[in-house]
Amino acid sequence: MSRPPTREYLYKILVVGDLGTGKTSIIRRYVHNIFSTNYKSTIGVDFALKVIQWSPEIIVRLQLWDIAGQERFGNMTRVYYKEALGAFVVYDVTRPQTFEGVTKWKQDLDSKVALPEPWGGGRIPVVLLANKSDLLQEGHGQPINQLEMDDFCRQNGFASWFDTSAKDNSNIDEAARYLIQTIVSLEEEHGSLVPHGLDDDDDDDDSIRLDQYKHRSNGGSGCC
């Protein structure tokens, strides 16, 4: 028997959250399996690519877009969000004020990006990451109440949530797998999208090309 043809999917995933919540650390751990406490704060947007053999027939190419915390609700976020199919919202479990920003990030996503029309439009799937859970084990911050978090996610339209640690490599693969599976299910339900960049004749002012943005950082340090 001949093998079924290989299908390749291109998914743009946003990673957003307040400054210093560990977005860059999560991406570096997931893509390169490395961790450092000396990442410089992201300015604007950074991105990373990861190719996944999802199944014998499916290859997923992820574009992970790391949106700087200080970009929150700025004019450029609509540009950065364009054509995204899913997102992570990240907060720091030891800093309650970063959790307060979670709903605002979610509302910003809901207002500026939607699923493609062939998939019925509507909100993109968003997963909440309660990051730096390793610090909870060291006695920093308040333990997470799972029932309260489940209820919070239902009320605010999150697809799910995971407690993560880039340092310990905890639940990052699981969270990514969950989000990818959600998007793959949309592919299988509604039909495959043709992976594409921008049309050559696209004059939309909100359009950007991936290669326009490289890593830009200031002299500060800390996990962003």
Side-chain angles (χ1 to χ4, degrees), residues 61-81:
R61 300 181 182 275
L62 286 187
Q63 296 177 353
L64 292 160
W65 287 58
D66 180 1
I67 311 298
Q70 61 266 36
E71 292 288 329
R72 186 168 72 180
F73 323 130
N75 293 330
M76 287 296 290
T77 55
R78 188 180 299 276
V79 179
Y80 298 151
Y81 292 174

Side-chain angles (χ1 to χ4, degrees), residues 171-190:
N171 280 338
I172 293 174
D173 286 347
E174 289 80 0
R177 192 177 305 118
Y178 178 92
L179 185 56
I180 295 169
Q181 180 60 67
T182 301
I183 302 173
V184 168
S185 296
L186 289 168
E187 290 269 9
E188 294 173 344
E189 180 180 357
H190 299 289

Side-chain angles (χ1 to χ4, degrees), residues 41-186:
S41 297
T42 304
I43 303 299
V45 62
D46 193 7
F47 63 86
L49 305 176
K50 185 177 177 73
V51 180
I52 303 164
Q53 186 73 49
W54 183 253
S55 72
E57 299 83 26
I58 296 176
I59 294 174
V60 173
R61 300 181 182 275
L62 286 187
Q63 296 177 353
L64 292 160
W65 287 58
D66 180 1
I67 311 298
Q70 61 266 36
E71 292 288 329
R72 186 168 72 180
F73 323 130
N75 293 330
M76 287 296 290
T77 55
R78 188 180 299 276
V79 179
Y80 298 151
Y81 292 174
K82 187 173 183 179
E83 297 182 349
L85 297 178
F88 294 108
V89 175
V90 186
Y91 81 96
D92 179 345
V93 294
T94 69
R95 294 162 56 209
Q97 66 272 25
T98 64
F99 182 74
E100 295 171 4
V102 162
T103 53
K104 294 179 181 179
W105 279 106
K106 179 63 165 59
Q107 291 165 2
D108 195 51
L109 290 167
D110 291 344
S111 67
K112 293 179 180 177
V113 63
L115 289 172
E117 287 302 324
W119 290 3
R123 297 174 178 176
I124 63 172
V126 180
V127 173
L128 178 62
L129 302 184
N131 195 39
K132 305 188 183 182
S133 60
D134 57 286
L135 296 178
L136 292 178
Q137 300 172 14
E138 299 175 6
H140 302 283
Q142 295 294 321
I144 299 172
N145 185 308
Q146 294 191 6
L147 292 178
E148 289 182 359
M149 283 293 287
D150 290 343
D151 188 55
F152 175 84
C153 288
R154 281 193 297 268
Q155 291 182 12
N156 291 278
F158 286 94
S160 188
W161 71 278
F162 293 81
D163 59 310
T164 58
S165 167
K167 182 178 180 179
D168 292 347
N169 196 19
S170 174
N171 280 338
I172 293 174
D173 286 347
E174 289 80 0
R177 192 177 305 118
Y178 178 92
L179 185 56
I180 295 169
Q181 180 60 67
T182 301
I183 302 173
V184 168
S185 296
L186 289 168

Side-chain angles (χ1 to χ4, degrees), residues 9-27:
Y9 298 149
L10 175 63
Y11 296 155
K12 176 179 176 178
I13 305 297
L14 307 173
V15 184
V16 301
D18 286 359
L19 183 68
T21 53
K23 300 182 298 295
T24 301
S25 296
I26 287 172
I27 293 173

